[in-house]
């Protein structure tokens, strides 16, 4: 599994309406992409936007990065929205998840 961390800051005059439309489309498109697992996005209190994306493999990440529609939106964002961004891709060496609020199975005697 590969984790992609995308961080960005918008220009003060960035096209937020144009971004909202394009961002929604990219979320729809990536969910159809082979090897895509999940995406979580949030904004920090100081205005940095962060997306955590997981894919099955580095090949899947590279194919997503090369998607023509995605490339077009990347170029648009560099020209009309971002003042800064960074991308980090890392292989996940270990992962686990525990739902502490899940109903517990009834104990048997």
């Amino acid at each position: 599994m590969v984790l992609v961390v995308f961080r960005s800051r918008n220009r003060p005059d960035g096209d937020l309406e144009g971004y909202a439309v394009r961002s929604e489309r990219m979320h729809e498109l990536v969910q159809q992409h082979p090897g895509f697992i999940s995406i979580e996005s949030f904004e920090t209190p100081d205005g940095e936007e962060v997306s955590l994306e997981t894919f099955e493999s580095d090949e899947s990440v590279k194919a997503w990065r090369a998607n023509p529609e995605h490339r077009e939106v990347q170029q648009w964002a560099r020209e009309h929205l971002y003042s800064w961004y960074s991308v980090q891709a890392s292989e996940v060496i270990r992962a686990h998840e525990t739902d502490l609020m899940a109903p517990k199975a009834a104990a048997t005697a």
Side-chain angles (χ1 to χ4, degrees), residues 39-55:
I39 184 169
E40 296 289 334
S41 300
F42 59 92
E43 187 174 329
T44 66
D46 67 348
E48 182 176 319
E49 293 186 16
V50 180
S51 289
L52 304 175
E53 306 163 12
T54 53
F55 294 84

Side-chain angles (χ1 to χ4, degrees), residues 5-67:
V5 179
F6 181 79
R7 300 169 51 204
S8 65
R9 290 194 179 275
N10 297 336
R11 300 176 192 174
D13 64 341
D15 181 358
L16 297 179
E17 288 181 24
Y19 172 68
V21 171
R22 287 168 176 84
S23 178
E24 184 176 328
R25 172 63 183 143
M26 289 300 98
H27 277 84
E28 291 171 1
L29 189 61
V30 74
Q31 290 177 18
Q32 301 167 14
H33 181 75
F36 169 78
I37 298 172
S38 69
I39 184 169
E40 296 289 334
S41 300
F42 59 92
E43 187 174 329
T44 66
D46 67 348
E48 182 176 319
E49 293 186 16
V50 180
S51 289
L52 304 175
E53 306 163 12
T54 53
F55 294 84
E56 291 177 357
S57 67
D58 191 41
E59 291 76 21
S60 179
V61 173
K62 288 176 182 175
W64 170 241
R65 187 178 66 207
N67 175 288

Side-chain angles (χ1 to χ4, degrees), residues 96-105:
H96 73 275
E97 181 177 327
T98 304
D99 184 350
L100 299 172
M101 300 304 289
K104 301 208 183 308

